[in-house]
Amino acid sequence: MSGGTSLFVKLTPGEDGRWVAEVPALPGCISQGDTKADALTNVREAALLCLDDLVERGLPVPDESSSELDRIAV
C-alpha cells in the first residue's frame, strides 16, 4: 500500500521503561520500542501491514487526515 493515509498514534510509557505505540483506528495495531522514535517506527510497520490486510479483504481504510486531536481537562 502506498502512503497517503494519516492515522493518529497514542504513545504511552510502558511499565518496563519502553514506549508503547497504538493506532486507535486499527484495533490491535500496537507495538513498542526503547525510545519514542523506535516505537513510532515499529508501529508504522505494523500499521502498514494492517492497512494492506484491509485492502486485500476489500474493507475500508481509515483516514484521519481531516481530524483534529485536542485535550480537555475533566
Side-chain angles (χ1 to χ4, degrees):
M1 167 164 218
S2 64
T5 299
S6 177
L7 299 170
F8 289 112
V9 174
K10 178 182 175 185
L11 286 167
T12 53
E15 293 178 11
D16 61 358
R18 299 183 71 179
W19 285 91
V20 178
E22 178 181 0
V23 181
L26 298 171
C29 185
I30 301 171
S31 193
Q32 61 182 350
D34 292 329
T35 65
K36 286 181 183 180
D38 289 341
L40 287 170
T41 296
N42 295 340
V43 82
R44 182 179 186 280
E45 292 174 14
L48 287 170
L49 292 172
C50 290
L51 292 171
D52 283 344
D53 182 59
L54 290 175
V55 169
E56 285 179 15
R57 295 188 307 160
L59 298 173
V61 173
D63 186 351
E64 300 174 326
S65 60
S66 62
S67 299
E68 292 186 27
L69 186 62
D70 210 335
R71 184 182 308 244
I72 60 168
V74 293

